[in-house]
Amino acid sequence: MSNSAPTVLIPGWMHDHARCLLGTHFNLVETPDCDVHARLPQEIRASIRGVACRTRIDRQFIDALPNLEIIASYGVGYDAVDAAYARSKNIVVTNTPDVLNEEVADLTLGLLISVVREIPKAHAFVREGRWKTSEYPLSRLTLRNRKVGIYGMGRIGRCIARRIEACGLPIAYYSRRPVTGVVYDYFPSLLELAHAVDVLIAIVPGNPSTAKTVNADVLSALGPEGVFINVGRGTVVDEGALIEALRTGTIAAAGLDVIADEPNVPNDMLALDNLTILPHIGSASVAIRTAMADLLARNLIAWFQSGTAITPVP
Ligand code: NAP
Ligand code: 8YV
């Protein structure tokens, strides 16, 4: 790479496709983590104009890079990046929206059906050789005659809704304002939505406005036949209240692709028979993770070629 090419820092892990693409356009600096103060001398830090990351980016990190122009974050959710502080310093933050919508929606539907029809348990039953001696018990729950509430009718929420429609189930939703062109029943609060449905799917970003909003009251409103699915962020749930609701039968079952402190699953969660937990795999196919890496890299390339990023966060 020529000396005049911009320098881009990769702190920690990065997808190989992004690293290769970035390597043909930029001088790359890589560090094993985001402790850039300790890892890089001042003159290298001063040369860095872009960051490509999937790690936590806080104020100290941003302050350590005086000539930083853009932070390209891997994933649509950018809760790990202090975007407000970046904005205050005129640094653009980009994410990777849309390319993963359908993939995450597929996983959500799969998780919902797995929870209700006990697919993981039935699979274990066969693996353990128990089919030879007995029939798998009928699932207590069914998806039939349910009404599904979607918490967050954004890009992915709408893709999930299309799949729920195909299952023949009515849909309602809550977000802070009704979405133009969406015909499903709108509720102006999460609690009212939870009272009206018996499946609740959370697909909202993790931030202070959503923190622990799925709480004891919401779970109680969902009711004893209730099923809760979370594919947004673990921070959206009061996990103590969820564990209690599952333990006491306040709701029937839950499925989580995300938890608050990944990958540390609380023992109280692992002990629950009516909880299915996935290791944050909503977008985790080779094809879609490559598309996300591509978009991340193209944001940096576009920024340094034209001064405009492709998918800056709002
Ligand atoms: P999006 O298009 O921005 O949609 C977010 C939705 O949440 C909007 O309807 C928004 O509506 C609503 N919302 C935001 N804050 C809210 C609040 N405080 N109260 C009520 N509703 C609120 O985002 P997206 O692309 O669909 O992605 C959503 C999230 O899914 C991401 O941020 C990420 O955390 C998560 N995600 C997880 C995976 C996974 O692998 N499990 C993969 C991709 C994404 P209003 O702003 O009008 O309220
Ligand atoms: C990824 C996600 O797992 O895009 C998101 O917000 O949660 C997932 O697609 C993650 O961001 C990248 O590791």
Side-chain angles (χ1 to χ4, degrees):
M1 191 46 50
S2 79
N3 282 342
S4 60
T7 298
V8 167
L9 169 67
I10 302 178
W13 179 90
M14 184 42 59
H15 193 289
D16 278 344
H17 175 72
R19 183 182 284 103
C20 288
L21 211 50
L22 294 171
T24 63
H25 289 78
F26 306 116
N27 293 310
L28 296 187
V29 172
E30 301 206 35
T31 51
D33 54 39
C34 54
D35 190 2
V36 279
H37 256 300
R39 303 278 182 197
L40 299 173
Q42 202 280 330
E43 63 273 21
I44 301 285
R45 284 191 271 120
S47 72
I48 290 164
R49 295 173 60 197
V51 165
C53 58
R54 184 176 80 158
T55 179
R56 180 155 297 284
I57 301 293
D58 59 15
R59 282 170 183 238
Q60 276 147 305
F61 178 99
I62 292 170
D63 286 340
L65 306 175
N67 295 309
L68 187 58
E69 297 170 38
I70 176 168
I71 299 167
S73 180
Y74 182 72
V76 64
Y78 52 94
D79 40 301
V81 178
D82 191 338
Y85 190 62
R87 190 179 311 119
S88 77
K89 306 214 68 166
N90 266 336
I91 296 164
V92 174
V93 176
T94 67
N95 62 348
T96 60
D98 288 319
V99 292
L100 42 54
N101 292 351
E102 305 289 350
E103 198 81 333
V104 179
D106 287 345
L107 195 278
T108 308
L109 185 66
L111 180 55
L112 171 59
I113 297 173
S114 291
V115 168
V116 171
R117 299 299 308 281
E118 305 177 3
I119 293 173
K121 282 190 214 161
H123 177 71
F125 178 86
V126 175
R127 274 276 170 92
E128 289 157 12
R130 293 160 60 200
W131 195 12
K132 292 195 180 82
T133 53
S134 58
E135 274 192 46
Y136 187 77
L138 307 182
S139 70
R140 182 173 90 67
L141 304 176
T142 172
L143 211 49
R144 295 304 95 209
N145 302 313
R146 284 182 176 272
K147 182 159 183 173
V148 177
I150 300 183
Y151 175 22
M153 191 51 76
R155 291 169 292 235
I156 302 172
R158 288 195 290 274
C159 294
I160 295 171
R162 275 207 333 272
R163 284 159 175 76
I164 301 292
E165 271 192 64
C167 293
L169 305 178
I171 297 163
Y173 73 102
Y174 163 62
S175 49
R176 286 168 296 186
R177 54 199 76 82
V179 180
T180 315
V182 166
V183 295
Y184 315 122
D185 294 345
Y186 174 74
F187 285 86
S189 78
L190 181 57
L191 192 58
E192 286 166 275
L193 175 69
H195 273 294
V197 299
D198 53 13
V199 173
L200 181 65
I201 299 175
I203 181 67
V204 282
N207 61 40
S209 77
T210 57
K212 295 194 177 183
T213 45
V214 177
N215 55 25
D217 290 344
V218 167
L219 294 167
S220 169
L222 205 52
E225 293 300 304
V227 173
F228 172 61
I229 302 291
N230 190 11
V231 279
R233 281 290 182 267
T235 53
V236 168
V237 180
D238 177 340
E239 290 185 339
L242 177 63
I243 290 166
E244 192 59 10
L246 288 165
R247 219 177 39 77
T248 57
T250 301
I251 65 168
L256 308 176
D257 185 43
V258 286
I259 58 166
D261 180 25
E262 297 175 4
N264 305 308
V265 185
N267 284 336
D268 287 352
M269 279 191 178
L270 293 172
L272 290 164
D273 190 43
N274 50 354
L275 174 62
T276 301
I277 308 177
L278 302 179
H280 200 148
I281 56 168
S283 65
S285 66
V286 170
I288 296 310
R289 286 290 174 86
T290 304
M292 290 161 60
D294 200 71
L295 182 53
L296 172 145
R298 286 191 296 108
N299 264 300
L300 284 159
I301 294 164
W303 174 259
F304 286 111
Q305 278 177 355
S306 68
T308 310
I310 302 168
T311 50
V313 305

